[in-house]
Amino acid sequence: MSQIISVHSFRGGTGKSNTTANLAATFAAQGMRVGVVDTDIQSPGIHIIFGMGDQRPPHSLNDYLNGDCRIEEAAMDMTPGLGVSLKGRVFLIPSSTQISQITRFLKGYDVGVLVDGYEQAIKMLNLDALLIDTHPGLNNETLMSVSVSDALAVILRPDFQDYQGTAVIVDISRRLGVQNMVLVANKIPLNLHLDQLRTNLETQYRCPVGALLPHSEEMMALGSEGVFVLRYPNHPISAEIKRLAQMLLA
Amino acid sequence: MENFSDWQETLLHLPLFPDGVVMADMLTLPAPLGSFLRRVLRMRQLPLSQLAQLLQLSSEQAAEIGQILVEKGVLQRHVTDAEPEYKVRFAPKSKTRLSDQVWNALGDL
């Protein structure tokens, strides 16, 4: 049965898109067919990590939401451009980077159409998993995506602004009935004790920690120009992402 | 809540949602109804028989409750060859507080 997995955070800049891309590649390496939907319409970015650069896709999620195409027509097979041979496939449904398209959606969009699109994408692309890269914070569209997800990864940095906002996300996600929720601490300063951080997070949020991702020079150097787990498959961060992937599918 | 009359009583006080519901409504509606709608949303679209199961009512009673929810603007019903199917009826767009002047300026970009 196909899984819908949302990757979300209360604040921006936590590493949602990088985590989503890395999860997608990890699943595909295991032979899964994975879809990734960039629902961060106001500030799209995951297409960069998949190597699209300035390339303008023939269709985008915006076109689907406008009723201008079917959702599967907005899906692009990113697998050949990932630079390694994967047993599975990664399809990206990107958001438009055109200013006119972004501003058009600042008023919001029909969330019912978006959810129908998830189902349609799973069916038409024969997906094992659909990953949703969300817009940070609380808004109608994101709450909808979280509601229909089988699993949710909540990303936070070890930062007091993140701590408070994450409590809100965790609480609301529980009220929305998310069954499988895991925390991901990202960009952890190297002087923090990881075991202690894990214990603190699990105690405070009553939620399992799926991954602890320390600050990494390799990640910084990559600068979102590639998928980390494919470039550094033997790095400790890649091992943590694999662990996270397993927990999200559990 | 497993009793038909309890559901009727709850829905009696439910306001109308002429444009459909938004996610905030799902979180703020009274507990049994909010919880019910969240489960319907997770199941995306469900036939009358499953609606009855979810409400723990007979099919006839569930159809009646379904009808009230449709009239209140909370659910939408699709008639199929087999049995009717229900899904949450969402408001098409988020409301905005930005002035027309701002939207016009954005439109010029």
PDB file of all heavy atoms in Angstrom, chain A residues 132-160:
ATOM      1  N   ILE A 132       5.775  14.805   0.621  1.00  0.00           N
ATOM      2  CA  ILE A 132       5.278  16.170   0.468  1.00  0.00           C
ATOM      3  C   ILE A 132       6.228  17.130   1.182  1.00  0.00           C
ATOM      4  O   ILE A 132       6.397  17.046   2.404  1.00  0.00           O
ATOM      5  CB  ILE A 132       3.856  16.308   1.050  1.00  0.00           C
ATOM      6  CG1 ILE A 132       2.924  15.292   0.378  1.00  0.00           C
ATOM      7  CG2 ILE A 132       3.332  17.717   0.856  1.00  0.00           C
ATOM      8  CD1 ILE A 132       1.582  15.161   1.057  1.00  0.00           C
ATOM      9  N   ASP A 133       6.838  17.995   0.393  1.00  0.00           N
ATOM     10  CA  ASP A 133       7.706  19.036   0.942  1.00  0.00           C
ATOM     11  C   ASP A 133       6.811  20.244   1.195  1.00  0.00           C
ATOM     12  O   ASP A 133       6.304  20.864   0.258  1.00  0.00           O
ATOM     13  CB  ASP A 133       8.808  19.358  -0.083  1.00  0.00           C
ATOM     14  CG  ASP A 133       9.838  20.336   0.456  1.00  0.00           C
ATOM     15  OD1 ASP A 133       9.931  20.484   1.684  1.00  0.00           O
ATOM     16  OD2 ASP A 133      10.548  20.938  -0.360  1.00  0.00           O
ATOM     17  N   THR A 134       6.584  20.578   2.461  1.00  0.00           N
ATOM     18  CA  THR A 134       5.551  21.567   2.795  1.00  0.00           C
ATOM     19  C   THR A 134       6.110  22.984   2.910  1.00  0.00           C
ATOM     20  O   THR A 134       7.324  23.188   2.972  1.00  0.00           O
ATOM     21  CB  THR A 134       4.907  21.228   4.153  1.00  0.00           C
ATOM     22  OG1 THR A 134       5.921  21.341   5.159  1.00  0.00           O
ATOM     23  CG2 THR A 134       4.326  19.831   4.167  1.00  0.00           C
ATOM     24  N   HIS A 135       5.186  23.922   2.988  1.00  0.00           N
ATOM     25  CA  HIS A 135       5.528  25.300   3.333  1.00  0.00           C
ATOM     26  C   HIS A 135       5.578  25.357   4.859  1.00  0.00           C
ATOM     27  O   HIS A 135       4.712  24.794   5.517  1.00  0.00           O
ATOM     28  CB  HIS A 135       4.445  26.239   2.787  1.00  0.00           C
ATOM     29  CG  HIS A 135       4.734  27.682   3.024  1.00  0.00           C
ATOM     30  ND1 HIS A 135       5.810  28.322   2.479  1.00  0.00           N
ATOM     31  CD2 HIS A 135       4.090  28.603   3.769  1.00  0.00           C
ATOM     32  CE1 HIS A 135       5.812  29.591   2.861  1.00  0.00           C
ATOM     33  NE2 HIS A 135       4.782  29.773   3.649  1.00  0.00           N
ATOM     34  N   PRO A 136       6.594  26.041   5.433  1.00  0.00           N
ATOM     35  CA  PRO A 136       6.698  26.024   6.902  1.00  0.00           C
ATOM     36  C   PRO A 136       5.537  26.735   7.601  1.00  0.00           C
ATOM     37  O   PRO A 136       4.826  27.530   6.996  1.00  0.00           O
ATOM     38  CB  PRO A 136       8.021  26.756   7.162  1.00  0.00           C
ATOM     39  CG  PRO A 136       8.280  27.553   5.945  1.00  0.00           C
ATOM     40  CD  PRO A 136       7.672  26.797   4.813  1.00  0.00           C
ATOM     41  N   GLY A 137       5.383  26.407   8.863  1.00  0.00           N
ATOM     42  CA  GLY A 137       4.369  27.073   9.681  1.00  0.00           C
ATOM     43  C   GLY A 137       3.009  26.431   9.560  1.00  0.00           C
ATOM     44  O   GLY A 137       2.875  25.310   9.074  1.00  0.00           O
ATOM     45  N   LEU A 138       2.017  27.181  10.007  1.00  0.00           N
ATOM     46  CA  LEU A 138       0.650  26.662  10.004  1.00  0.00           C
ATOM     47  C   LEU A 138      -0.169  27.409   8.976  1.00  0.00           C
ATOM     48  O   LEU A 138      -0.299  28.629   9.051  1.00  0.00           O
ATOM     49  CB  LEU A 138       0.020  26.853  11.387  1.00  0.00           C
ATOM     50  CG  LEU A 138       0.655  26.049  12.511  1.00  0.00           C
ATOM     51  CD1 LEU A 138       0.048  26.447  13.845  1.00  0.00           C
ATOM     52  CD2 LEU A 138       0.467  24.567  12.267  1.00  0.00           C
ATOM     53  N   ASN A 139      -0.692  26.729   8.006  1.00  0.00           N
ATOM     54  CA  ASN A 139      -1.628  27.323   7.064  1.00  0.00           C
ATOM     55  C   ASN A 139      -2.572  26.230   6.578  1.00  0.00           C
ATOM     56  O   ASN A 139      -2.316  25.037   6.803  1.00  0.00           O
ATOM     57  CB  ASN A 139      -0.892  28.011   5.902  1.00  0.00           C
ATOM     58  CG  ASN A 139      -0.023  27.045   5.137  1.00  0.00           C
ATOM     59  OD1 ASN A 139      -0.533  26.111   4.522  1.00  0.00           O
ATOM     60  ND2 ASN A 139       1.284  27.234   5.185  1.00  0.00           N
ATOM     61  N   ASN A 140      -3.629  26.661   5.948  1.00  0.00           N
ATOM     62  CA  ASN A 140      -4.685  25.733   5.536  1.00  0.00           C
ATOM     63  C   ASN A 140      -4.141  24.588   4.683  1.00  0.00           C
ATOM     64  O   ASN A 140      -4.451  23.416   4.904  1.00  0.00           O
ATOM     65  CB  ASN A 140      -5.736  26.528   4.754  1.00  0.00           C
ATOM     66  CG  ASN A 140      -7.062  25.813   4.653  1.00  0.00           C
ATOM     67  OD1 ASN A 140      -7.468  25.129   5.598  1.00  0.00           O
ATOM     68  ND2 ASN A 140      -7.731  25.958   3.532  1.00  0.00           N
ATOM     69  N   GLU A 141      -3.299  24.938   3.714  1.00  0.00           N
ATOM     70  CA  GLU A 141      -2.809  23.944   2.761  1.00  0.00           C
ATOM     71  C   GLU A 141      -1.900  22.909   3.439  1.00  0.00           C
ATOM     72  O   GLU A 141      -2.011  21.713   3.191  1.00  0.00           O
ATOM     73  CB  GLU A 141      -2.030  24.634   1.625  1.00  0.00           C
ATOM     74  CG  GLU A 141      -2.881  25.565   0.759  1.00  0.00           C
ATOM     75  CD  GLU A 141      -3.040  26.958   1.351  1.00  0.00           C
ATOM     76  OE1 GLU A 141      -2.425  27.246   2.402  1.00  0.00           O
ATOM     77  OE2 GLU A 141      -3.795  27.767   0.775  1.00  0.00           O
ATOM     78  N   THR A 142      -1.022  23.399   4.307  1.00  0.00           N
ATOM     79  CA  THR A 142      -0.102  22.481   4.974  1.00  0.00           C
ATOM     80  C   THR A 142      -0.839  21.571   5.951  1.00  0.00           C
ATOM     81  O   THR A 142      -0.557  20.372   6.023  1.00  0.00           O
ATOM     82  CB  THR A 142       0.996  23.288   5.705  1.00  0.00           C
ATOM     83  OG1 THR A 142       1.804  23.907   4.706  1.00  0.00           O
ATOM     84  CG2 THR A 142       1.870  22.385   6.544  1.00  0.00           C
ATOM     85  N   LEU A 143      -1.776  22.140   6.694  1.00  0.00           N
ATOM     86  CA  LEU A 143      -2.526  21.307   7.638  1.00  0.00           C
ATOM     87  C   LEU A 143      -3.273  20.203   6.903  1.00  0.00           C
ATOM     88  O   LEU A 143      -3.397  19.084   7.397  1.00  0.00           O
ATOM     89  CB  LEU A 143      -3.504  22.161   8.448  1.00  0.00           C
ATOM     90  CG  LEU A 143      -2.861  23.090   9.471  1.00  0.00           C
ATOM     91  CD1 LEU A 143      -3.931  23.888  10.210  1.00  0.00           C
ATOM     92  CD2 LEU A 143      -2.038  22.301  10.480  1.00  0.00           C
ATOM     93  N   MET A 144      -3.746  20.529   5.727  1.00  0.00           N
ATOM     94  CA  MET A 144      -4.440  19.526   4.913  1.00  0.00           C
ATOM     95  C   MET A 144      -3.475  18.398   4.536  1.00  0.00           C
ATOM     96  O   MET A 144      -3.800  17.216   4.678  1.00  0.00           O
ATOM     97  CB  MET A 144      -4.979  20.199   3.653  1.00  0.00           C
ATOM     98  CG  MET A 144      -5.331  19.265   2.563  1.00  0.00           C
ATOM     99  SD  MET A 144      -6.766  18.341   2.992  1.00  0.00           S
ATOM    100  CE  MET A 144      -7.992  19.548   2.613  1.00  0.00           C
ATOM    101  N   SER A 145      -2.297  18.767   4.085  1.00  0.00           N
ATOM    102  CA  SER A 145      -1.324  17.736   3.699  1.00  0.00           C
ATOM    103  C   SER A 145      -0.951  16.868   4.890  1.00  0.00           C
ATOM    104  O   SER A 145      -0.835  15.649   4.775  1.00  0.00           O
ATOM    105  CB  SER A 145      -0.061  18.386   3.120  1.00  0.00           C
ATOM    106  OG  SER A 145      -0.375  19.027   1.906  1.00  0.00           O
ATOM    107  N   VAL A 146      -0.762  17.504   6.027  1.00  0.00           N
ATOM    108  CA  VAL A 146      -0.419  16.745   7.237  1.00  0.00           C
ATOM    109  C   VAL A 146      -1.556  15.782   7.589  1.00  0.00           C
ATOM    110  O   VAL A 146      -1.329  14.631   7.942  1.00  0.00           O
ATOM    111  CB  VAL A 146      -0.119  17.723   8.406  1.00  0.00           C
ATOM    112  CG1 VAL A 146      -0.058  16.991   9.745  1.00  0.00           C
ATOM    113  CG2 VAL A 146       1.186  18.465   8.155  1.00  0.00           C
ATOM    114  N   SER A 147      -2.784  16.265   7.439  1.00  0.00           N
ATOM    115  CA  SER A 147      -3.959  15.449   7.807  1.00  0.00           C
ATOM    116  C   SER A 147      -4.056  14.153   7.025  1.00  0.00           C
ATOM    117  O   SER A 147      -4.500  13.142   7.552  1.00  0.00           O
ATOM    118  CB  SER A 147      -5.251  16.217   7.536  1.00  0.00           C
ATOM    119  OG  SER A 147      -5.369  17.256   8.395  1.00  0.00           O
ATOM    120  N   VAL A 148      -3.701  14.205   5.761  1.00  0.00           N
ATOM    121  CA  VAL A 148      -3.878  13.014   4.922  1.00  0.00           C
ATOM    122  C   VAL A 148      -2.613  12.147   4.873  1.00  0.00           C
ATOM    123  O   VAL A 148      -2.582  11.160   4.152  1.00  0.00           O
ATOM    124  CB  VAL A 148      -4.320  13.379   3.482  1.00  0.00           C
ATOM    125  CG1 VAL A 148      -5.650  14.112   3.499  1.00  0.00           C
ATOM    126  CG2 VAL A 148      -3.262  14.190   2.764  1.00  0.00           C
ATOM    127  N   SER A 149      -1.609  12.529   5.655  1.00  0.00           N
ATOM    128  CA  SER A 149      -0.351  11.778   5.612  1.00  0.00           C
ATOM    129  C   SER A 149      -0.387  10.563   6.539  1.00  0.00           C
ATOM    130  O   SER A 149      -0.967  10.606   7.611  1.00  0.00           O
ATOM    131  CB  SER A 149       0.815  12.679   6.026  1.00  0.00           C
ATOM    132  OG  SER A 149       0.994  13.693   5.069  1.00  0.00           O
ATOM    133  N   ASP A 150       0.266   9.515   6.085  1.00  0.00           N
ATOM    134  CA  ASP A 150       0.423   8.325   6.926  1.00  0.00           C
ATOM    135  C   ASP A 150       1.550   8.535   7.926  1.00  0.00           C
ATOM    136  O   ASP A 150       1.556   7.935   8.995  1.00  0.00           O
ATOM    137  CB  ASP A 150       0.738   7.109   6.053  1.00  0.00           C
ATOM    138  CG  ASP A 150      -0.367   6.862   5.040  1.00  0.00           C
ATOM    139  OD1 ASP A 150      -1.471   6.506   5.472  1.00  0.00           O
ATOM    140  OD2 ASP A 150      -0.142   7.074   3.833  1.00  0.00           O
ATOM    141  N   ALA A 151       2.514   9.340   7.540  1.00  0.00           N
ATOM    142  CA  ALA A 151       3.644   9.606   8.426  1.00  0.00           C
ATOM    143  C   ALA A 151       4.080  11.054   8.257  1.00  0.00           C
ATOM    144  O   ALA A 151       3.879  11.661   7.200  1.00  0.00           O
ATOM    145  CB  ALA A 151       4.808   8.667   8.096  1.00  0.00           C
ATOM    146  N   LEU A 152       4.666  11.576   9.323  1.00  0.00           N
ATOM    147  CA  LEU A 152       5.093  12.982   9.313  1.00  0.00           C
ATOM    148  C   LEU A 152       6.474  13.087   9.947  1.00  0.00           C
ATOM    149  O   LEU A 152       6.697  12.572  11.046  1.00  0.00           O
ATOM    150  CB  LEU A 152       4.091  13.824  10.116  1.00  0.00           C
ATOM    151  CG  LEU A 152       4.479  15.266  10.426  1.00  0.00           C
ATOM    152  CD1 LEU A 152       4.531  16.109   9.166  1.00  0.00           C
ATOM    153  CD2 LEU A 152       3.480  15.885  11.404  1.00  0.00           C
ATOM    154  N   ALA A 153       7.378  13.750   9.237  1.00  0.00           N
ATOM    155  CA  ALA A 153       8.684  14.068   9.822  1.00  0.00           C
ATOM    156  C   ALA A 153       8.679  15.553  10.158  1.00  0.00           C
ATOM    157  O   ALA A 153       8.446  16.392   9.279  1.00  0.00           O
ATOM    158  CB  ALA A 153       9.803  13.760   8.833  1.00  0.00           C
ATOM    159  N   VAL A 154       8.878  15.867  11.420  1.00  0.00           N
ATOM    160  CA  VAL A 154       8.916  17.271  11.858  1.00  0.00           C
ATOM    161  C   VAL A 154      10.377  17.646  12.077  1.00  0.00           C
ATOM    162  O   VAL A 154      11.059  17.067  12.913  1.00  0.00           O
ATOM    163  CB  VAL A 154       8.112  17.473  13.163  1.00  0.00           C
ATOM    164  CG1 VAL A 154       8.137  18.932  13.573  1.00  0.00           C
ATOM    165  CG2 VAL A 154       6.676  16.985  12.996  1.00  0.00           C
ATOM    166  N   ILE A 155      10.827  18.622  11.292  1.00  0.00           N
ATOM    167  CA  ILE A 155      12.237  19.020  11.350  1.00  0.00           C
ATOM    168  C   ILE A 155      12.407  20.214  12.288  1.00  0.00           C
ATOM    169  O   ILE A 155      11.590  21.151  12.240  1.00  0.00           O
ATOM    170  CB  ILE A 155      12.764  19.446   9.955  1.00  0.00           C
ATOM    171  CG1 ILE A 155      12.232  18.520   8.857  1.00  0.00           C
ATOM    172  CG2 ILE A 155      14.270  19.538   9.938  1.00  0.00           C
ATOM    173  CD1 ILE A 155      12.931  17.254   8.681  1.00  0.00           C
ATOM    174  N   LEU A 156      13.426  20.175  13.085  1.00  0.00           N
ATOM    175  CA  LEU A 156      13.743  21.329  13.927  1.00  0.00           C
ATOM    176  C   LEU A 156      15.243  21.463  14.065  1.00  0.00           C
ATOM    177  O   LEU A 156      15.983  20.502  13.835  1.00  0.00           O
ATOM    178  CB  LEU A 156      13.102  21.200  15.308  1.00  0.00           C
ATOM    179  CG  LEU A 156      13.693  20.178  16.276  1.00  0.00           C
ATOM    180  CD1 LEU A 156      13.357  20.564  17.701  1.00  0.00           C
ATOM    181  CD2 LEU A 156      13.160  18.784  16.003  1.00  0.00           C
ATOM    182  N   ARG A 157      15.656  22.676  14.387  1.00  0.00           N
ATOM    183  CA  ARG A 157      17.058  22.897  14.729  1.00  0.00           C
ATOM    184  C   ARG A 157      17.141  23.063  16.246  1.00  0.00           C
ATOM    185  O   ARG A 157      16.147  23.472  16.854  1.00  0.00           O
ATOM    186  CB  ARG A 157      17.571  24.174  14.046  1.00  0.00           C
ATOM    187  CG  ARG A 157      17.741  24.032  12.552  1.00  0.00           C
ATOM    188  CD  ARG A 157      17.804  25.379  11.887  1.00  0.00           C
ATOM    189  NE  ARG A 157      16.580  26.131  12.183  1.00  0.00           N
ATOM    190  CZ  ARG A 157      16.254  27.264  11.614  1.00  0.00           C
ATOM    191  NH1 ARG A 157      17.045  27.816  10.734  1.00  0.00           N
ATOM    192  NH2 ARG A 157      15.130  27.877  11.927  1.00  0.00           N
ATOM    193  N   PRO A 158      18.290  22.782  16.820  1.00  0.00           N
ATOM    194  CA  PRO A 158      18.417  22.999  18.256  1.00  0.00           C
ATOM    195  C   PRO A 158      18.484  24.497  18.548  1.00  0.00           C
ATOM    196  O   PRO A 158      19.550  25.074  18.704  1.00  0.00           O
ATOM    197  CB  PRO A 158      19.728  22.289  18.623  1.00  0.00           C
ATOM    198  CG  PRO A 158      20.110  21.510  17.429  1.00  0.00           C
ATOM    199  CD  PRO A 158      19.492  22.168  16.255  1.00  0.00           C
ATOM    200  N   ASP A 159      17.326  25.130  18.594  1.00  0.00           N
ATOM    201  CA  ASP A 159      17.212  26.578  18.679  1.00  0.00           C
ATOM    202  C   ASP A 159      15.899  26.841  19.427  1.00  0.00           C
ATOM    203  O   ASP A 159      14.884  26.200  19.136  1.00  0.00           O
ATOM    204  CB  ASP A 159      17.146  27.131  17.241  1.00  0.00           C
ATOM    205  CG  ASP A 159      16.853  28.604  17.154  1.00  0.00           C
ATOM    206  OD1 ASP A 159      15.807  29.044  17.671  1.00  0.00           O
ATOM    207  OD2 ASP A 159      17.664  29.306  16.557  1.00  0.00           O
ATOM    208  N   PHE A 160      15.903  27.763  20.352  1.00  0.00           N
ATOM    209  CA  PHE A 160      14.729  27.919  21.210  1.00  0.00           C
ATOM    210  C   PHE A 160      13.489  28.395  20.448  1.00  0.00           C
ATOM    211  O   PHE A 160      12.367  28.080  20.836  1.00  0.00           O
ATOM    212  CB  PHE A 160      15.052  28.824  22.396  1.00  0.00           C
ATOM    213  CG  PHE A 160      15.798  28.061  23.456  1.00  0.00           C
ATOM    214  CD1 PHE A 160      17.183  28.048  23.468  1.00  0.00           C
ATOM    215  CD2 PHE A 160      15.119  27.296  24.391  1.00  0.00           C
ATOM    216  CE1 PHE A 160      17.880  27.307  24.414  1.00  0.00           C
ATOM    217  CE2 PHE A 160      15.798  26.545  25.344  1.00  0.00           C
ATOM    218  CZ  PHE A 160      17.188  26.545  25.356  1.00  0.00           C
TER     219      PHE A 160
END
